[in-house]
Amino acid sequence: MRPSGRATDALRPVTIETGVARHAEGSCLIRMGDTHVLCTASVEESVPPFLRKSGLGWVTAEYGMLPRATTTRGRREAAAGKQSGRTQEIQRLIGRSLRAAVDRPALGERQITVDCDVLQADGGTRCASITGGWVALRLAVNGLLKAGTIKSDPLSGHVAAVSCGIYGGQPVLDLDYAEDSVAGTDANFVMTGAGGLIEVQGSAEGATFSRAELNALMDLAEKGVAELVAAQAAAIG
């Protein structure tokens, strides 16, 4: 029995509320159970120096957790004077994942920065950030298309992510913190709406896991991502 009482192949309740940040070109608040992430997309009419005069656009991401996103207060990384290795790794993952669905020549020489701020954490924050980040990016791109700033849609499709793991000897979908903290295997799957793999992160926390278990986790991820893509589509109308 999972701590939440969910079936092994069940996501936590998912809601995606759009238009939550007045000034951002695209925004949403994604809730996956008790993990809540505010995602905004900001458009800049410039690119980093290494892309100037290339004709290519850029999508990047930043990630952070509020001090009381967790059960005890965490120190703001700005107060520490540097980002943690975990933060850097996650925001690079978000950026890579979103760029996988972007036709950069179609975007033109402009940058979209997706900010993912964790308001409350209960496991799966990077996956929620990618899933919500795509919605914010989609809304920002819709604005560029509507304004005629770009002529063709640079997004090739949906991008979403979900965690899976071996908990209590069973493959399960969408781990919350109670499961993630003791899981024998923990994995994150980033996929397109068409089912293509963008990135897979998996590690054994105790005993090794088998190829059959990996296949079972992959099957769960495909189911979970399909449901998340449906939630994204409903959110953007």
Side-chain angles (χ1 to χ4, degrees):
M1 176 68 72
R2 304 180 72 174
S4 63
R6 286 181 286 145
T8 56
D9 64 348
L11 291 173
R12 291 171 287 180
V14 179
T15 63
I16 304 175
E17 179 184 358
T18 60
V20 296
R22 176 182 177 184
H23 300 294
E25 284 79 11
S27 67
C28 77
L29 175 60
I30 182 169
R31 299 179 178 92
M32 295 187 66
D34 285 330
T35 289
H36 302 169
V37 185
L38 173 65
C39 303
T40 60
S42 302
V43 179
E44 300 172 76
E45 292 298 320
S46 61
V47 291
F50 72 93
L51 285 175
R52 288 174 187 162
K53 298 183 180 180
S54 68
L56 300 175
W58 189 244
V59 173
T60 188
E62 293 189 13
Y63 167 96
M65 296 182 69
L66 294 187
R68 277 316 297 267
T70 53
T71 54
T72 57
R73 184 182 187 277
R75 189 182 184 193
R76 292 184 190 272
E77 292 186 341
K82 64 177 181 179
Q83 291 180 316
S84 69
R86 175 183 181 273
T87 294
Q88 293 181 53
E89 185 263 326
I90 291 175
Q91 64 189 25
R92 288 170 183 160
L93 168 65
I94 298 167
R96 286 196 306 272
S97 299
L98 297 178
R99 284 194 298 274
V102 176
D103 179 351
R104 291 169 54 206
L107 184 58
E109 282 197 35
R110 56 184 50 84
Q111 175 169 285
I112 302 179
T113 301
V114 177
D115 289 292
C116 301
D117 292 289
V118 180
L119 310 181
Q120 183 171 284
D122 187 36
T125 62
R126 72 186 65 195
C127 293
S129 295
I130 292 167
T131 303
W134 183 88
V135 171
L137 177 62
R138 173 75 272 176
L139 293 171
V141 167
N142 286 352
L144 293 172
L145 288 166
K146 184 176 180 180
T149 306
I150 55 177
K151 304 303 181 185
S152 61
D153 190 353
L155 296 188
S156 60
H158 290 250
V159 173
V162 73
S163 66
C164 300
I166 307 296
Y167 173 79
Q170 286 189 307
V172 298
L173 175 66
D174 189 20
L175 283 70
D176 55 28
Y177 181 75
E179 296 169 327
D180 184 53
S181 59
V182 296
T185 298
D186 180 22
N188 299 299
F189 295 83
V190 187
M191 302 176 69
T192 68
L197 286 168
I198 295 173
E199 187 150 343
V200 178
Q201 301 177 330
S203 60
E205 303 294 340
T208 59
F209 58 101
S210 67
R211 174 65 178 270
E213 287 173 324
L214 177 60
N215 290 343
L217 296 178
M218 184 72 243
D219 291 341
L220 288 172
E222 287 182 340
K223 177 180 183 295
V225 165
E227 294 175 10
L228 291 171
V229 166
Q232 290 175 327
I236 63 176

